[in-house]
Amino acid sequence: MDVQQESVVDPAAAGPAAGVQEVTIRVTVNGAVHERPVPVRTSLVDFLREDLGLTGSHVGCEHGVCGACTVLLDAEPVRGCLLFAVQADGHEVTTVEALATGDELHPLQQAFWEHHGLQCGFCTPGILLTAYDLLRERHGVSEAEIREALSGNLCRCTGYQGIVRSIQAADESWER
Amino acid sequence: MKPAPFQYLAPRSIEETVELLREHGEDAKVLAGGQSLVPMLNFRLARPAVLIDVNSVTGLDGIEVEDGTLSVGATTRQRTLERRLSAGGSGAQDGGWALLGEAAGHIGHLHIRTRGTVGGSLAHADPAAELPAAVSALGATLVARSRDGEREIAPHEFFQGFFTTALRPDELLTRVRVPSWPEGTRSCLLEVSRRRGDFAQVAVAAVVAMADGRVVRAGVALAGVGASTVEAPDVAAGLVGEVPRPQLIAELADDLCARLDPPSDTHGSAGYRRALAGHLLQRALLDATSPTGAAAAA
């Protein structure tokens, strides 16, 4: 049977699930291929932060409510805390680190800078990727569409006014 | 790392999956989109010894039309359903099927729907979930596979109670088949929730086929008003053959509400839910039976 079965590292462990289990995954993150062994119960966002050092993706609620861990998996926004790293094997992940080019902010980030789109900044990476997904193939999005997209990202500082304004501004300024 | 340790298996075919379910059965959970299961793992409310990830199983996803029947694979993402079947979507040629796209659009947030699956939502059987209500109203058939073969299950048999379905531990939900509804069918899904993306306090799914001003076929189901999805066959039967006057709709809604036994919790009292169910049912039926569909918007 061609089943991807993980080796039990500790052979003395009792029962099939008692041992530490690792599997080697190959995942493309922001264009770079990484091949790493990873415990099967490590979430994608923990893998990105702790194994790859990409600490831009934040860990908030860890049960899919806050959206701080939003990353793009094969170009679709997903919760990084509700996906195991092993599930990203063979897939492409995009994080907030992919937006800026060197010291030059992405137009979306520039708009957040100019229009007060953040205060503490904890929710910002997830919101940037949500907005990136919303604007990537669209022009002239309405405020209602922006707020609908943002409904999956919690911000406890701004009251969202600045965020909505920033996304509206980026809709104008981002040449795409 | 939040979940308790588990053994991770990622089969590639339906045959392998049902073999693994036969082997691990009670100790295993099927991991589809993971949007409900993984939070439960992270809180350690669920501690399965084995996770069987079906995301790489071929032949388990996709939306097809076979002999006039819509067939939706279990690992079809909710976002795909929303895109393909909402009004105006490429697959919305049937007025009844648009209900599935509408229901999918109410599930969680965009980031949840890109990952969450149709089969996952149905097999999880949250009593406040939208898709179970939609497939119930549409008279769909749920298809389960085990090593012994395939069986078809009607929604009222499938949804047995609070997070409980008719699926045996060795069975995998593979697809849902939705019959064709006649020309002139309209559907409506209305929901009230505390915040955008929350589960429904109450949701009503209604499908009505009309001919010559009279109802020829109808299906109604509610979410959030019982231990599982509540079908309302009496309401559907009361409409068939009739001209759907507001008075008739109001009487049918009142009759149903008097028989409902909704839960009381922090999201709403039983009385509030009962009142909500009555209002939403009336509005959904007025919308689904009016040629312009203006009633629900008003």
Side-chain angles (χ1 to χ4, degrees), chain A residues 154-165:
Chain A
L154 291 183
C155 170
R156 298 293 78 172
C157 300
T158 66
Y160 296 93
Q161 307 289 359
I163 298 173
V164 171
R165 263 200 310 276

Side-chain angles (χ1 to χ4, degrees), chain B residues 181 186 204-211 213-221 232-253 255-256 281-282 284-290:
Chain B
W181 280 68
R186 288 180 48 83
V204 174
V207 200
V208 182
M210 304 265 294
R214 286 179 189 275
V215 175
V216 291
R217 191 168 147 198
V220 177
D234 297 356
V235 174
L239 284 168
V240 170
E242 302 292 332
V243 176
R245 293 193 186 86
Q247 178 65 27
L248 171 67
I249 287 172
E251 284 169 14
L252 290 169
D255 285 353
L256 177 76
L281 179 56
Q282 284 193 48
L285 288 175
L286 287 171
D287 178 81
T289 55
S290 80

Side-chain angles (χ1 to χ4, degrees), chain A residues 82-153:
Chain A
L82 296 187
L83 207 67
F84 296 112
V86 59
Q87 295 185 282
D89 186 25
H91 294 273
E92 263 184 56
V93 177
T94 308
T95 70
V96 71
E97 282 90 348
L99 291 184
T101 311
D103 288 339
E104 193 185 331
L105 292 179
H106 186 278
L108 198 54
Q109 292 169 310
Q110 190 64 38
F112 271 65
W113 177 290
E114 288 168 7
H115 297 272
H116 206 61
L118 64 148
Q119 286 180 34
C120 87
F122 191 84
C123 67
T124 312
I127 288 183
L128 284 170
L129 287 170
T130 298
Y132 179 84
D133 175 69
L134 177 69
L135 295 183
R136 187 172 31 182
E137 288 168 3
R138 304 260 328 271
H139 292 265
V141 292
S142 68
E143 182 180 336
E145 287 171 296
I146 292 171
R147 288 187 179 273
E148 165 68 25
L150 283 175
S151 72
N153 293 83

Side-chain angles (χ1 to χ4, degrees), chain A residues 1-6 16-19 21 39-42 46 62-65 70 73 76-79 81-84 86-87 130 133 148-149 151-153, chain B residues 1-12 16 19-20 31-35 38-39 41-44 49 51 53 55 83 109-115 196:
Chain A
M1 206 161 38
D2 180 29
V3 174
Q4 183 188 349
Q5 180 143 12
E6 279 60 57
Q21 299 186 17
V40 294
R41 59 191 173 117
T42 299
D46 281 347
E62 290 185 86
H63 63 282
V65 172
T70 299
L73 179 78
E76 293 264 37
V78 298
R79 302 292 203 219
C81 70
L82 296 187
L83 207 67
F84 296 112
V86 59
Q87 295 185 282
T130 298
D133 175 69
E148 165 68 25
S151 72
N153 293 83
Chain B
M1 199 150 13
K2 291 295 180 109
F6 52 78
Q7 187 185 3
Y8 174 83
L9 301 170
R12 303 279 163 175
E16 282 173 38
E19 281 295 333
L20 291 171
L31 173 63
Q35 304 299 290
V38 178
L41 295 174
N42 285 354
F43 282 125
R44 301 203 177 190
L51 271 193
D53 182 353
N55 284 285
R83 281 184 180 138
H109 310 285
L110 170 73
H111 321 64
I112 300 291
R113 302 193 288 273
T114 53
R115 194 71 196 158
R196 189 78 185 101

